[in-house]
């Protein structure tokens, strides 16, 4: 878990650094500054842009590190769920299927994205959702010990 958290911090820093390129592209401010616009401030210069908007810009146009960041965050969440529910397989299956449904909903929300990052994230969320739901089904329907005997 600690190693994963360190990788998450590294990928977050790389994403933030790549996203800082938004400061040099004022034409994109209108489309990629959701957090700055939510604060109600008018964007007049680069100092008005929120640091969270750096992540949005990086996810839209340079998706490598944002995908790694989301992957490590998902891994930490799944690992935490496994640690809490490893002795209760039915609850683990419900946890994993809930995660899979969230991934699939996220994939659907990004299905019409015109940017390369949106397409990459849509594929990532779709594949992660399917894997999570298949893993949940395997946990839920697993054969109990002693049911099958090998001679």
């Amino acid at each position: 878990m600690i190693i994963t958290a360190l990788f998450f911090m590294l990928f977050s820093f790389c994403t933030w650094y790549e996203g800082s390129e938004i400061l040099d592209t004022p034409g994109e401010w209108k489309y990629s500054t959701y957090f700055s616009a939510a604060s109600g401030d008018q964007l007049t210069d680069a100092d008005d842009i929120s640091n969270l908007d750096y992540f949005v810009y990086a996810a839209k146009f340079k998706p490598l590190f944002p995908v790694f960041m989301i992957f490590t965050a998902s891994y930490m969440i799944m690992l935490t769920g496994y640690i809490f529910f490893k002795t209760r397989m039915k609850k683990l299956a419900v946890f994993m299927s809930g995660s899979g449904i969230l991934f699939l909903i996220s994939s659907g929300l990004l299905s019409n994205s015109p940017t390369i990052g949106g397409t990459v994230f849509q594929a990532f969320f779709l594949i992660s959702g399917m894997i999570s739901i298949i893993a949940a089904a395997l946990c839920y329907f697993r054969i109990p010990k002693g049911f099958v005997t090998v001679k």
Side-chain angles (χ1 to χ4, degrees):
M1 186 69 93
I2 293 171
I3 292 170
T4 305
L6 290 173
F7 274 112
F8 177 76
M9 288 189 294
L10 173 70
F11 296 143
S12 297
F13 175 77
C14 292
T15 300
W16 177 74
Y17 177 76
E18 282 188 340
S20 67
E21 187 177 303
I22 194 171
L23 300 175
D24 300 330
T25 55
E28 190 60 34
W29 292 358
K30 181 178 178 182
Y31 307 107
S32 297
T33 55
Y34 301 111
F35 294 102
S36 299
S39 67
D41 296 336
Q42 189 72 0
L43 291 177
T44 55
D45 62 3
D47 294 334
D48 297 334
I49 296 175
S50 170
N51 284 332
L52 293 175
D53 290 324
Y54 294 0
F55 292 99
V56 173
Y57 182 82
K60 285 174 77 173
F61 297 107
K62 297 185 177 201
L64 179 66
F65 287 114
V67 166
F68 286 159
M69 189 177 89
I70 297 296
F71 177 78
T72 54
S74 300
Y75 179 75
M76 283 193 300
I77 291 168
M78 291 297 194
L79 185 60
T80 302
Y82 175 75
I83 290 169
F84 285 137
F85 302 121
K86 67 181 170 185
T87 58
R88 298 176 300 254
M89 284 303 202
K90 304 289 184 194
K91 289 185 180 181
L92 178 63
V94 170
F95 175 78
M96 292 176 72
S97 62
S99 299
I101 290 169
L102 288 176
F103 279 132
L104 293 176
I105 289 171
S106 299
S107 175
L109 292 174
L110 294 172
S111 64
N112 293 328
S113 178
T115 63
I116 185 69
T119 305
V120 169
F121 272 101
Q122 191 253 341
F124 174 77
F125 287 144
L126 181 66
I127 292 168
S128 298
M130 290 189 303
I131 289 172
S132 184
I133 288 176
I134 290 170
L138 291 175
C139 285
Y140 189 81
F141 296 114
R142 94 176 185 178
I143 299 172
K145 293 179 183 174
F147 184 74
V148 176
T149 58
V150 179
K151 294 181 181 182

